[in-house]
Amino acid sequence: MPRRKGVLMDSIKYQQVALGKRIYSLRVAKGMTQEQLAQVLNISPAAISKWERDLATPSIELLWALADFFGCSIDELVGRTFAQIEAVGVYDAEKLRLAEIGEDLLKCCEISRQKGLRALEAAVQGLKGKSAFLVFSVPYIMYLFMKQVDMDQAFGFLENYVGTLPETEQREGHMIAAALKMIFAGANPVVLEELIASYIGMEYWQKKGHPAQILKCTRQEIIDGQKDKKIYSEATSLIEAAADLGDFEIQTMLRNMDETTLTAALVGASGKVVVRFFSNLADRILYLIHEDMEHWNGTEQEILEAQRKVLEIGSFCLGDACCQTEIPI
């Protein structure tokens, strides 16, 4: 029994240490003193000091207040999970799923134009998006055509099936039905791509993020592709110390950084720094930042300004390495 108690106390102590570090990191990242945070929470500065030195822990009410103030979950705050940063950008899981299925639909169009509809029926099972409705729809429409059902009526029946899908899958179903109707009618792939983009959203079109481009690389391929990236110039080495930071420090910096600053700063950084930041981004942000870096056409001065901002945000993480870095004027 005493042994179990010891294990439990070690676990609590570990979480307590993690919590103190996180409160300190989040406070400094916001540029706040202990007194200022204490004023926000209506407690004494001494209480904040004890938390950060792991001499005490906040009550559950104050944990809620801290999580709300810093914009994170309690699980994140106490170290139960490091939720990936998803506070910026436009790529969410549903839209990435639609983009992946959109890529499959473009592949369907290519197969049907080059090899015919029979080849499409055979190939649909092997598509990478794994949409059950797409796998159902192609042979179903082929079956109706064999029964001499005209096109409008056949796709009217398919739309009825869309209505039976779970609500979360109906947008996917409508896109598939509309796209397949165009494919079976022999539509131009460019027109089909515009149709698919219209189901995904304006921001994808504005970013020139049509389905095949959005998902041209997997997450790991994007990260691996940055490993050998060279630094932009000798002057843009301001954030190289970030390559040695842990996940929590990187994520805390990301929470306090806008998309434009991150993109410009990483354009100037070495591959080892880019990999550290990319590894802590959620998929939808990773695709967005990667695409913006690919099309970035700014100046060295813009890189330096962005890297200076990163230094300010991450000063509590970069420590002496930050202070010893000579910042070009």
Side-chain angles (χ1 to χ4, degrees):
M1 191 69 178
R3 188 175 181 181
R4 286 188 62 192
K5 183 178 179 182
V7 171
L8 177 60
M9 290 306 297
D10 286 345
S11 174
I12 292 174
K13 184 178 179 182
Y14 171 78
Q15 294 298 343
Q16 192 177 40
V17 170
L19 175 59
K21 179 182 178 183
R22 282 161 179 74
I23 294 173
Y24 169 78
S25 297
L26 291 166
R27 174 179 64 77
V28 177
K30 274 189 172 289
M32 299 180 73
T33 65
Q34 290 181 344
E35 288 75 14
Q36 289 170 326
L37 180 57
Q39 189 173 10
V40 169
L41 299 174
N42 197 28
I43 59 176
S44 70
I48 304 292
S49 176
K50 286 183 178 180
W51 295 347
E52 293 182 356
R53 290 182 293 139
D54 303 313
L55 300 177
T57 54
S59 66
I60 187 62
E61 292 82 4
L62 286 170
L63 280 175
W64 277 116
L66 284 165
D68 288 345
F69 181 71
F70 289 122
C72 63
S73 68
I74 288 183
D75 272 353
E76 260 185 293
L77 194 60
V78 301
R80 287 175 59 88
T81 179
F82 290 124
Q84 290 177 311
I85 307 305
E86 299 185 33
V88 294
V90 296
Y91 294 97
D92 60 30
E94 180 189 2
K95 290 182 179 180
L96 285 173
R97 167 73 176 157
L98 289 175
E100 191 170 47
I101 296 169
E103 188 179 15
D104 282 349
L105 289 166
L106 290 171
K107 184 66 176 176
C108 288
C109 181
E110 178 185 340
I111 293 170
S112 68
R113 288 170 69 88
Q114 292 180 357
K115 301 179 181 180
L117 293 174
R118 286 292 184 188
L120 171 59
E121 186 176 11
V124 73
Q125 293 280 354
L127 296 173
K128 69 179 185 179
K130 307 298 181 186
S131 168
F133 190 69
L134 179 55
V135 171
F136 161 78
S137 297
V138 172
Y140 175 68
I141 293 298
M142 294 290 290
Y143 164 79
L144 293 180
F145 280 8
M146 289 176 59
K147 295 293 185 180
Q148 299 183 332
V149 177
D150 69 59
M151 180 175 289
D152 287 341
Q153 196 169 31
F155 280 95
F157 292 159
L158 187 61
E159 275 291 344
N160 290 341
Y161 279 103
V162 173
T164 68
L165 294 173
E167 188 174 346
T168 54
E169 298 176 20
Q170 289 190 13
R171 191 175 181 189
E172 169 190 328
H174 287 304
M175 181 179 76
I176 289 170
L180 286 180
K181 187 172 184 178
M182 292 181 67
I183 291 170
F184 275 75
N188 186 311
V190 174
V191 179
L192 177 64
E193 192 170 30
E194 293 299 334
L195 171 77
I196 293 167
S198 72
Y199 276 92
I200 300 173
M202 293 184 298
E203 61 272 22
Y204 279 76
W205 189 91
Q206 291 164 347
K207 285 283 185 185
K208 304 187 186 303
H210 288 171
Q213 296 166 321
I214 294 168
L215 298 169
K216 62 185 176 184
C217 299
T218 66
R219 175 187 179 85
Q220 196 57 50
E221 286 171 342
I222 289 174
I223 294 173
D224 290 344
Q226 297 296 324
K227 289 181 177 178
D228 297 324
K229 178 183 178 299
K230 303 301 181 185
I231 199 166
Y232 187 88
S233 73
E234 289 185 9
T236 63
S237 61
L238 306 187
I239 61 172
E240 291 303 296
D244 298 322
L245 295 179
D247 288 343
F248 179 74
E249 287 76 18
I250 293 288
Q251 291 177 14
T252 302
M253 292 168 70
L254 287 171
R255 277 200 181 281
N256 293 275
M257 199 182 311
D258 64 85
E259 168 197 323
T260 303
T261 297
L262 178 60
T263 299
L266 293 184
V267 166
S270 66
K272 61 184 181 179
V273 174
V274 176
V275 167
R276 288 300 300 124
F277 280 94
F278 273 20
S279 297
N280 283 280
L281 291 170
D283 287 347
R284 64 188 180 93
I285 312 301
L286 175 64
Y287 287 115
L288 178 62
I289 298 296
H290 174 253
E291 185 180 346
D292 284 351
M293 287 177 66
E294 289 282 302
H295 297 95
W296 196 82
N297 59 358
T299 65
E300 183 178 274
Q301 186 59 37
E302 289 175 301
I303 293 175
L304 290 173
E305 289 174 2
Q307 290 194 346
R308 290 188 190 108
K309 289 182 182 178
V310 173
L311 285 180
E312 293 173 8
I313 292 168
S315 59
F316 72 97
C317 298
L318 299 174
D320 292 340
C322 166
C323 299
Q324 292 167 7
T325 303
E326 183 177 346
I327 301 179
I329 303 300

